[in-house]
PDB file of all heavy atoms in Angstrom:
ATOM      1  N   ALA A   1      -3.187  -1.782   7.949  1.00  0.00           N
ATOM      2  CA  ALA A   1      -2.890  -2.479   6.695  1.00  0.00           C
ATOM      3  C   ALA A   1      -3.163  -1.504   5.561  1.00  0.00           C
ATOM      4  O   ALA A   1      -4.010  -0.613   5.685  1.00  0.00           O
ATOM      5  CB  ALA A   1      -3.753  -3.729   6.537  1.00  0.00           C
ATOM      6  N   ILE A   2      -2.429  -1.667   4.457  1.00  0.00           N
ATOM      7  CA  ILE A   2      -2.615  -0.813   3.282  1.00  0.00           C
ATOM      8  C   ILE A   2      -2.720  -1.689   2.041  1.00  0.00           C
ATOM      9  O   ILE A   2      -1.933  -2.626   1.874  1.00  0.00           O
ATOM     10  CB  ILE A   2      -1.442   0.169   3.093  1.00  0.00           C
ATOM     11  CG1 ILE A   2      -1.311   1.116   4.289  1.00  0.00           C
ATOM     12  CG2 ILE A   2      -1.595   0.968   1.801  1.00  0.00           C
ATOM     13  CD1 ILE A   2      -0.083   2.008   4.249  1.00  0.00           C
ATOM     14  N   ILE A   3      -3.675  -1.357   1.194  1.00  0.00           N
ATOM     15  CA  ILE A   3      -3.791  -1.967  -0.128  1.00  0.00           C
ATOM     16  C   ILE A   3      -3.872  -0.823  -1.129  1.00  0.00           C
ATOM     17  O   ILE A   3      -4.661   0.105  -0.965  1.00  0.00           O
ATOM     18  CB  ILE A   3      -5.052  -2.853  -0.255  1.00  0.00           C
ATOM     19  CG1 ILE A   3      -4.971  -4.036   0.708  1.00  0.00           C
ATOM     20  CG2 ILE A   3      -5.235  -3.322  -1.706  1.00  0.00           C
ATOM     21  CD1 ILE A   3      -6.245  -4.874   0.776  1.00  0.00           C
ATOM     22  N   VAL A   4      -3.020  -0.865  -2.153  1.00  0.00           N
ATOM     23  CA  VAL A   4      -3.065   0.128  -3.217  1.00  0.00           C
ATOM     24  C   VAL A   4      -3.403  -0.614  -4.503  1.00  0.00           C
ATOM     25  O   VAL A   4      -2.724  -1.579  -4.863  1.00  0.00           O
ATOM     26  CB  VAL A   4      -1.701   0.861  -3.380  1.00  0.00           C
ATOM     27  CG1 VAL A   4      -1.773   1.861  -4.529  1.00  0.00           C
ATOM     28  CG2 VAL A   4      -1.312   1.564  -2.080  1.00  0.00           C
ATOM     29  N   ASP A   5      -4.482  -0.179  -5.165  1.00  0.00           N
ATOM     30  CA  ASP A   5      -4.853  -0.855  -6.404  1.00  0.00           C
ATOM     31  C   ASP A   5      -5.425   0.117  -7.433  1.00  0.00           C
ATOM     32  O   ASP A   5      -5.724   1.263  -7.140  1.00  0.00           O
ATOM     33  CB  ASP A   5      -5.783  -2.041  -6.162  1.00  0.00           C
ATOM     34  CG  ASP A   5      -7.085  -1.692  -5.458  1.00  0.00           C
ATOM     35  OD1 ASP A   5      -7.511  -0.521  -5.496  1.00  0.00           O
ATOM     36  OD2 ASP A   5      -7.701  -2.600  -4.872  1.00  0.00           O
ATOM     37  N   ASP A   6      -5.508  -0.386  -8.650  1.00  0.00           N
ATOM     38  CA  ASP A   6      -5.960   0.355  -9.833  1.00  0.00           C
ATOM     39  C   ASP A   6      -7.146  -0.391 -10.443  1.00  0.00           C
ATOM     40  O   ASP A   6      -6.956  -1.410 -11.089  1.00  0.00           O
ATOM     41  CB  ASP A   6      -4.800   0.460 -10.838  1.00  0.00           C
ATOM     42  CG  ASP A   6      -5.230   0.926 -12.231  1.00  0.00           C
ATOM     43  OD1 ASP A   6      -6.380   1.368 -12.419  1.00  0.00           O
ATOM     44  OD2 ASP A   6      -4.382   0.846 -13.140  1.00  0.00           O
ATOM     45  N   PRO A   7      -8.378   0.094 -10.235  1.00  0.00           N
ATOM     46  CA  PRO A   7      -9.539  -0.594 -10.788  1.00  0.00           C
ATOM     47  C   PRO A   7      -9.723  -0.384 -12.286  1.00  0.00           C
ATOM     48  O   PRO A   7     -10.584  -1.012 -12.897  1.00  0.00           O
ATOM     49  CB  PRO A   7     -10.711   0.025 -10.007  1.00  0.00           C
ATOM     50  CG  PRO A   7     -10.235   1.408  -9.713  1.00  0.00           C
ATOM     51  CD  PRO A   7      -8.751   1.288  -9.471  1.00  0.00           C
ATOM     52  N   ASP A   8      -8.913   0.489 -12.894  1.00  0.00           N
ATOM     53  CA  ASP A   8      -9.062   0.816 -14.314  1.00  0.00           C
ATOM     54  C   ASP A   8      -8.142   0.007 -15.230  1.00  0.00           C
ATOM     55  O   ASP A   8      -8.105   0.256 -16.433  1.00  0.00           O
ATOM     56  CB  ASP A   8      -8.808   2.308 -14.531  1.00  0.00           C
ATOM     57  CG  ASP A   8      -9.749   3.161 -13.688  1.00  0.00           C
ATOM     58  OD1 ASP A   8     -10.938   2.813 -13.578  1.00  0.00           O
ATOM     59  OD2 ASP A   8      -9.288   4.171 -13.129  1.00  0.00           O
ATOM     60  N   ALA A   9      -7.404  -0.939 -14.672  1.00  0.00           N
ATOM     61  CA  ALA A   9      -6.486  -1.750 -15.488  1.00  0.00           C
ATOM     62  C   ALA A   9      -7.291  -2.575 -16.494  1.00  0.00           C
ATOM     63  O   ALA A   9      -8.397  -3.029 -16.195  1.00  0.00           O
ATOM     64  CB  ALA A   9      -5.656  -2.665 -14.590  1.00  0.00           C
ATOM     65  N   PRO A  10      -6.740  -2.793 -17.691  1.00  0.00           N
ATOM     66  CA  PRO A  10      -7.465  -3.504 -18.749  1.00  0.00           C
ATOM     67  C   PRO A  10      -7.950  -4.913 -18.366  1.00  0.00           C
ATOM     68  O   PRO A  10      -9.026  -5.317 -18.762  1.00  0.00           O
ATOM     69  CB  PRO A  10      -6.444  -3.593 -19.888  1.00  0.00           C
ATOM     70  CG  PRO A  10      -5.486  -2.485 -19.631  1.00  0.00           C
ATOM     71  CD  PRO A  10      -5.433  -2.302 -18.140  1.00  0.00           C
ATOM     72  N   ALA A  11      -7.159  -5.616 -17.574  1.00  0.00           N
ATOM     73  CA  ALA A  11      -7.520  -6.990 -17.207  1.00  0.00           C
ATOM     74  C   ALA A  11      -8.290  -7.071 -15.893  1.00  0.00           C
ATOM     75  O   ALA A  11      -8.510  -8.156 -15.365  1.00  0.00           O
ATOM     76  CB  ALA A  11      -6.262  -7.850 -17.127  1.00  0.00           C
ATOM     77  N   GLY A  12      -8.709  -5.933 -15.356  1.00  0.00           N
ATOM     78  CA  GLY A  12      -9.383  -5.909 -14.054  1.00  0.00           C
ATOM     79  C   GLY A  12      -8.482  -5.217 -13.044  1.00  0.00           C
ATOM     80  O   GLY A  12      -7.370  -4.798 -13.364  1.00  0.00           O
ATOM     81  N   THR A  13      -8.941  -5.124 -11.814  1.00  0.00           N
ATOM     82  CA  THR A  13      -8.193  -4.406 -10.777  1.00  0.00           C
ATOM     83  C   THR A  13      -6.774  -4.944 -10.639  1.00  0.00           C
ATOM     84  O   THR A  13      -6.568  -6.148 -10.517  1.00  0.00           O
ATOM     85  CB  THR A  13      -8.933  -4.494  -9.436  1.00  0.00           C
ATOM     86  OG1 THR A  13     -10.226  -3.908  -9.594  1.00  0.00           O
ATOM     87  CG2 THR A  13      -8.174  -3.755  -8.341  1.00  0.00           C
ATOM     88  N   TRP A  14      -5.806  -4.018 -10.685  1.00  0.00           N
ATOM     89  CA  TRP A  14      -4.379  -4.369 -10.585  1.00  0.00           C
ATOM     90  C   TRP A  14      -3.875  -3.914  -9.223  1.00  0.00           C
ATOM     91  O   TRP A  14      -4.031  -2.751  -8.847  1.00  0.00           O
ATOM     92  CB  TRP A  14      -3.589  -3.678 -11.698  1.00  0.00           C
ATOM     93  CG  TRP A  14      -2.175  -4.122 -11.794  1.00  0.00           C
ATOM     94  CD1 TRP A  14      -1.078  -3.541 -11.215  1.00  0.00           C
ATOM     95  CD2 TRP A  14      -1.673  -5.260 -12.500  1.00  0.00           C
ATOM     96  NE1 TRP A  14       0.064  -4.242 -11.518  1.00  0.00           N
ATOM     97  CE2 TRP A  14      -0.276  -5.300 -12.312  1.00  0.00           C
ATOM     98  CE3 TRP A  14      -2.280  -6.240 -13.286  1.00  0.00           C
ATOM     99  CZ2 TRP A  14       0.524  -6.280 -12.867  1.00  0.00           C
ATOM    100  CZ3 TRP A  14      -1.483  -7.223 -13.848  1.00  0.00           C
ATOM    101  CH2 TRP A  14      -0.101  -7.239 -13.638  1.00  0.00           C
ATOM    102  N   VAL A  15      -3.252  -4.829  -8.498  1.00  0.00           N
ATOM    103  CA  VAL A  15      -2.776  -4.563  -7.141  1.00  0.00           C
ATOM    104  C   VAL A  15      -1.334  -4.073  -7.179  1.00  0.00           C
ATOM    105  O   VAL A  15      -0.454  -4.746  -7.715  1.00  0.00           O
ATOM    106  CB  VAL A  15      -2.900  -5.830  -6.261  1.00  0.00           C
ATOM    107  CG1 VAL A  15      -2.412  -5.541  -4.850  1.00  0.00           C
ATOM    108  CG2 VAL A  15      -4.340  -6.321  -6.254  1.00  0.00           C
ATOM    109  N   HIS A  16      -1.097  -2.904  -6.565  1.00  0.00           N
ATOM    110  CA  HIS A  16       0.229  -2.291  -6.566  1.00  0.00           C
ATOM    111  C   HIS A  16       0.995  -2.452  -5.254  1.00  0.00           C
ATOM    112  O   HIS A  16       2.223  -2.381  -5.246  1.00  0.00           O
ATOM    113  CB  HIS A  16       0.114  -0.798  -6.898  1.00  0.00           C
ATOM    114  CG  HIS A  16      -0.244  -0.557  -8.325  1.00  0.00           C
ATOM    115  ND1 HIS A  16       0.690  -0.270  -9.277  1.00  0.00           N
ATOM    116  CD2 HIS A  16      -1.433  -0.609  -8.964  1.00  0.00           C
ATOM    117  CE1 HIS A  16       0.098  -0.131 -10.458  1.00  0.00           C
ATOM    118  NE2 HIS A  16      -1.187  -0.330 -10.293  1.00  0.00           N
ATOM    119  N   TRP A  17       0.268  -2.634  -4.140  1.00  0.00           N
ATOM    120  CA  TRP A  17       0.951  -2.745  -2.853  1.00  0.00           C
ATOM    121  C   TRP A  17       0.024  -3.406  -1.849  1.00  0.00           C
ATOM    122  O   TRP A  17      -1.178  -3.090  -1.797  1.00  0.00           O
ATOM    123  CB  TRP A  17       1.334  -1.362  -2.349  1.00  0.00           C
ATOM    124  CG  TRP A  17       2.460  -1.283  -1.363  1.00  0.00           C
ATOM    125  CD1 TRP A  17       3.467  -2.189  -1.162  1.00  0.00           C
ATOM    126  CD2 TRP A  17       2.726  -0.200  -0.457  1.00  0.00           C
ATOM    127  NE1 TRP A  17       4.337  -1.724  -0.198  1.00  0.00           N
ATOM    128  CE2 TRP A  17       3.903  -0.510   0.250  1.00  0.00           C
ATOM    129  CE3 TRP A  17       2.078   1.004  -0.192  1.00  0.00           C
ATOM    130  CZ2 TRP A  17       4.449   0.332   1.219  1.00  0.00           C
ATOM    131  CZ3 TRP A  17       2.622   1.837   0.766  1.00  0.00           C
ATOM    132  CH2 TRP A  17       3.789   1.518   1.453  1.00  0.00           C
ATOM    133  N   VAL A  18       0.575  -4.327  -1.083  1.00  0.00           N
ATOM    134  CA  VAL A  18      -0.144  -5.030  -0.025  1.00  0.00           C
ATOM    135  C   VAL A  18       0.772  -5.032   1.202  1.00  0.00           C
ATOM    136  O   VAL A  18       1.866  -5.593   1.144  1.00  0.00           O
ATOM    137  CB  VAL A  18      -0.471  -6.489  -0.440  1.00  0.00           C
ATOM    138  CG1 VAL A  18      -1.220  -7.214   0.647  1.00  0.00           C
ATOM    139  CG2 VAL A  18      -1.255  -6.519  -1.748  1.00  0.00           C
ATOM    140  N   VAL A  19       0.345  -4.376   2.281  1.00  0.00           N
ATOM    141  CA  VAL A  19       1.169  -4.278   3.491  1.00  0.00           C
ATOM    142  C   VAL A  19       0.285  -4.448   4.718  1.00  0.00           C
ATOM    143  O   VAL A  19      -0.818  -3.883   4.763  1.00  0.00           O
ATOM    144  CB  VAL A  19       1.852  -2.896   3.608  1.00  0.00           C
ATOM    145  CG1 VAL A  19       2.906  -2.890   4.696  1.00  0.00           C
ATOM    146  CG2 VAL A  19       2.445  -2.433   2.318  1.00  0.00           C
ATOM    147  N   TRP A  20       0.760  -5.188   5.708  1.00  0.00           N
ATOM    148  CA  TRP A  20       0.005  -5.355   6.944  1.00  0.00           C
ATOM    149  C   TRP A  20       0.965  -5.350   8.137  1.00  0.00           C
ATOM    150  O   TRP A  20       2.176  -5.257   7.973  1.00  0.00           O
ATOM    151  CB  TRP A  20      -0.832  -6.636   6.912  1.00  0.00           C
ATOM    152  CG  TRP A  20      -0.027  -7.900   6.829  1.00  0.00           C
ATOM    153  CD1 TRP A  20       0.432  -8.652   7.877  1.00  0.00           C
ATOM    154  CD2 TRP A  20       0.432  -8.545   5.646  1.00  0.00           C
ATOM    155  NE1 TRP A  20       1.150  -9.727   7.396  1.00  0.00           N
ATOM    156  CE2 TRP A  20       1.164  -9.691   6.029  1.00  0.00           C
ATOM    157  CE3 TRP A  20       0.296  -8.271   4.282  1.00  0.00           C
ATOM    158  CZ2 TRP A  20       1.763 -10.547   5.124  1.00  0.00           C
ATOM    159  CZ3 TRP A  20       0.899  -9.128   3.373  1.00  0.00           C
ATOM    160  CH2 TRP A  20       1.604 -10.259   3.797  1.00  0.00           C
ATOM    161  N   ASN A  21       0.373  -5.438   9.347  1.00  0.00           N
ATOM    162  CA  ASN A  21       1.127  -5.366  10.603  1.00  0.00           C
ATOM    163  C   ASN A  21       1.968  -4.097  10.689  1.00  0.00           C
ATOM    164  O   ASN A  21       3.091  -4.096  11.202  1.00  0.00           O
ATOM    165  CB  ASN A  21       1.992  -6.614  10.838  1.00  0.00           C
ATOM    166  CG  ASN A  21       1.132  -7.824  11.188  1.00  0.00           C
ATOM    167  OD1 ASN A  21      -0.065  -7.690  11.458  1.00  0.00           O
ATOM    168  ND2 ASN A  21       1.729  -8.989  11.176  1.00  0.00           N
ATOM    169  N   ILE A  22       1.395  -3.014  10.201  1.00  0.00           N
ATOM    170  CA  ILE A  22       2.016  -1.705  10.333  1.00  0.00           C
ATOM    171  C   ILE A  22       1.714  -1.216  11.746  1.00  0.00           C
ATOM    172  O   ILE A  22       0.554  -1.179  12.145  1.00  0.00           O
ATOM    173  CB  ILE A  22       1.432  -0.708   9.295  1.00  0.00           C
ATOM    174  CG1 ILE A  22       1.652  -1.224   7.870  1.00  0.00           C
ATOM    175  CG2 ILE A  22       2.004   0.683   9.501  1.00  0.00           C
ATOM    176  CD1 ILE A  22       0.852  -0.476   6.813  1.00  0.00           C
ATOM    177  N   PRO A  23       2.738  -0.864  12.520  1.00  0.00           N
ATOM    178  CA  PRO A  23       2.464  -0.314  13.850  1.00  0.00           C
ATOM    179  C   PRO A  23       1.555   0.909  13.718  1.00  0.00           C
ATOM    180  O   PRO A  23       1.667   1.679  12.762  1.00  0.00           O
ATOM    181  CB  PRO A  23       3.849   0.074  14.368  1.00  0.00           C
ATOM    182  CG  PRO A  23       4.798  -0.803  13.605  1.00  0.00           C
ATOM    183  CD  PRO A  23       4.169  -0.962  12.249  1.00  0.00           C
ATOM    184  N   VAL A  24       0.665   1.078  14.667  1.00  0.00           N
ATOM    185  CA  VAL A  24      -0.283   2.187  14.622  1.00  0.00           C
ATOM    186  C   VAL A  24       0.491   3.501  14.604  1.00  0.00           C
ATOM    187  O   VAL A  24       1.315   3.777  15.473  1.00  0.00           O
ATOM    188  CB  VAL A  24      -1.257   2.137  15.821  1.00  0.00           C
ATOM    189  CG1 VAL A  24      -2.169   3.348  15.823  1.00  0.00           C
ATOM    190  CG2 VAL A  24      -2.064   0.843  15.767  1.00  0.00           C
ATOM    191  N   THR A  25       0.242   4.283  13.564  1.00  0.00           N
ATOM    192  CA  THR A  25       0.923   5.547  13.356  1.00  0.00           C
ATOM    193  C   THR A  25       0.038   6.478  12.548  1.00  0.00           C
ATOM    194  O   THR A  25      -0.832   6.007  11.802  1.00  0.00           O
ATOM    195  CB  THR A  25       2.264   5.338  12.607  1.00  0.00           C
ATOM    196  OG1 THR A  25       2.907   6.601  12.449  1.00  0.00           O
ATOM    197  CG2 THR A  25       2.061   4.711  11.246  1.00  0.00           C
ATOM    198  N   GLN A  26       0.265   7.754  12.685  1.00  0.00           N
ATOM    199  CA  GLN A  26      -0.498   8.719  11.890  1.00  0.00           C
ATOM    200  C   GLN A  26       0.246   9.138  10.633  1.00  0.00           C
ATOM    201  O   GLN A  26      -0.247   9.954   9.872  1.00  0.00           O
ATOM    202  CB  GLN A  26      -0.838   9.948  12.734  1.00  0.00           C
ATOM    203  CG  GLN A  26      -1.824   9.631  13.831  1.00  0.00           C
ATOM    204  CD  GLN A  26      -2.260  10.878  14.578  1.00  0.00           C
ATOM    205  OE1 GLN A  26      -1.884  11.994  14.264  1.00  0.00           O
ATOM    206  NE2 GLN A  26      -3.092  10.680  15.584  1.00  0.00           N
ATOM    207  N   HIS A  27       1.450   8.582  10.424  1.00  0.00           N
ATOM    208  CA  HIS A  27       2.223   8.990   9.256  1.00  0.00           C
ATOM    209  C   HIS A  27       3.022   7.817   8.682  1.00  0.00           C
ATOM    210  O   HIS A  27       3.818   7.203   9.399  1.00  0.00           O
ATOM    211  CB  HIS A  27       3.176  10.127   9.631  1.00  0.00           C
ATOM    212  CG  HIS A  27       3.943  10.671   8.459  1.00  0.00           C
ATOM    213  ND1 HIS A  27       3.342  11.428   7.470  1.00  0.00           N
ATOM    214  CD2 HIS A  27       5.232  10.534   8.113  1.00  0.00           C
ATOM    215  CE1 HIS A  27       4.265  11.742   6.560  1.00  0.00           C
ATOM    216  NE2 HIS A  27       5.408  11.212   6.927  1.00  0.00           N
ATOM    217  N   ILE A  28       2.794   7.517   7.425  1.00  0.00           N
ATOM    218  CA  ILE A  28       3.600   6.540   6.695  1.00  0.00           C
ATOM    219  C   ILE A  28       4.608   7.368   5.883  1.00  0.00           C
ATOM    220  O   ILE A  28       4.217   8.224   5.083  1.00  0.00           O
ATOM    221  CB  ILE A  28       2.732   5.685   5.724  1.00  0.00           C
ATOM    222  CG1 ILE A  28       1.617   4.974   6.490  1.00  0.00           C
ATOM    223  CG2 ILE A  28       3.613   4.721   4.948  1.00  0.00           C
ATOM    224  CD1 ILE A  28       2.053   3.957   7.501  1.00  0.00           C
ATOM    225  N   LYS A  29       5.872   7.117   6.080  1.00  0.00           N
ATOM    226  CA  LYS A  29       6.912   7.895   5.413  1.00  0.00           C
ATOM    227  C   LYS A  29       7.043   7.520   3.941  1.00  0.00           C
ATOM    228  O   LYS A  29       6.808   6.366   3.562  1.00  0.00           O
ATOM    229  CB  LYS A  29       8.261   7.680   6.097  1.00  0.00           C
ATOM    230  CG  LYS A  29       8.316   8.171   7.509  1.00  0.00           C
ATOM    231  CD  LYS A  29       9.662   7.848   8.128  1.00  0.00           C
ATOM    232  CE  LYS A  29       9.683   8.198   9.601  1.00  0.00           C
ATOM    233  NZ  LYS A  29      10.908   7.735  10.243  1.00  0.00           N
ATOM    234  N   GLU A  30       7.454   8.476   3.148  1.00  0.00           N
ATOM    235  CA  GLU A  30       7.777   8.252   1.745  1.00  0.00           C
ATOM    236  C   GLU A  30       8.932   7.250   1.663  1.00  0.00           C
ATOM    237  O   GLU A  30       9.846   7.280   2.490  1.00  0.00           O
ATOM    238  CB  GLU A  30       8.184   9.588   1.128  1.00  0.00           C
ATOM    239  CG  GLU A  30       8.709   9.487  -0.286  1.00  0.00           C
ATOM    240  CD  GLU A  30       9.182  10.843  -0.798  1.00  0.00           C
ATOM    241  OE1 GLU A  30       8.338  11.700  -1.072  1.00  0.00           O
ATOM    242  OE2 GLU A  30      10.408  11.023  -0.902  1.00  0.00           O
ATOM    243  N   ASP A  31       8.873   6.363   0.657  1.00  0.00           N
ATOM    244  CA  ASP A  31       9.943   5.395   0.402  1.00  0.00           C
ATOM    245  C   ASP A  31      10.298   4.601   1.655  1.00  0.00           C
ATOM    246  O   ASP A  31      11.464   4.476   2.036  1.00  0.00           O
ATOM    247  CB  ASP A  31      11.186   6.109  -0.153  1.00  0.00           C
ATOM    248  CG  ASP A  31      12.211   5.134  -0.730  1.00  0.00           C
ATOM    249  OD1 ASP A  31      11.835   3.990  -1.065  1.00  0.00           O
ATOM    250  OD2 ASP A  31      13.387   5.523  -0.840  1.00  0.00           O
ATOM    251  N   HIS A  32       9.266   4.068   2.311  1.00  0.00           N
ATOM    252  CA  HIS A  32       9.457   3.358   3.574  1.00  0.00           C
ATOM    253  C   HIS A  32       8.585   2.104   3.596  1.00  0.00           C
ATOM    254  O   HIS A  32       7.429   2.149   3.184  1.00  0.00           O
ATOM    255  CB  HIS A  32       9.076   4.285   4.733  1.00  0.00           C
ATOM    256  CG  HIS A  32       9.182   3.665   6.066  1.00  0.00           C
ATOM    257  ND1 HIS A  32      10.381   3.374   6.662  1.00  0.00           N
ATOM    258  CD2 HIS A  32       8.219   3.251   6.930  1.00  0.00           C
ATOM    259  CE1 HIS A  32      10.167   2.827   7.844  1.00  0.00           C
ATOM    260  NE2 HIS A  32       8.872   2.738   8.026  1.00  0.00           N
ATOM    261  N   VAL A  33       9.138   1.014   4.071  1.00  0.00           N
ATOM    262  CA  VAL A  33       8.380  -0.222   4.250  1.00  0.00           C
ATOM    263  C   VAL A  33       7.860  -0.207   5.696  1.00  0.00           C
ATOM    264  O   VAL A  33       8.622  -0.436   6.623  1.00  0.00           O
ATOM    265  CB  VAL A  33       9.255  -1.468   4.011  1.00  0.00           C
ATOM    266  CG1 VAL A  33       8.450  -2.731   4.260  1.00  0.00           C
ATOM    267  CG2 VAL A  33       9.837  -1.458   2.615  1.00  0.00           C
ATOM    268  N   PRO A  34       6.573   0.101   5.866  1.00  0.00           N
ATOM    269  CA  PRO A  34       6.054   0.285   7.220  1.00  0.00           C
ATOM    270  C   PRO A  34       5.670  -0.991   7.951  1.00  0.00           C
ATOM    271  O   PRO A  34       5.447  -0.980   9.151  1.00  0.00           O
ATOM    272  CB  PRO A  34       4.831   1.162   6.991  1.00  0.00           C
ATOM    273  CG  PRO A  34       4.359   0.769   5.629  1.00  0.00           C
ATOM    274  CD  PRO A  34       5.616   0.455   4.846  1.00  0.00           C
TER     275      PRO A  34
END
C-alpha cells in the first residue's frame, strides 16, 4: 500500500495519493496505477 501526503499544508496534512492491493513488487513504474 502507498500513502503520499504533505504534513506542511496550511490546513493540516494533505493527502495526495492512497493506493492498496498493489501486487508485491520492487518497482512502481512512473505514471502507473499499481
Side-chain angles (χ1 to χ4, degrees):
I2 299 173
I3 296 173
V4 178
D5 59 22
D6 167 10
D8 302 319
T13 300
W14 188 266
V15 180
H16 289 263
W17 203 23
V18 180
V19 191
W20 64 91
N21 288 349
I22 301 167
V24 176
T25 181
Q26 292 186 3
H27 184 71
I28 303 295
K29 296 177 186 173
E30 173 184 288
D31 193 21
H32 178 71
V33 178

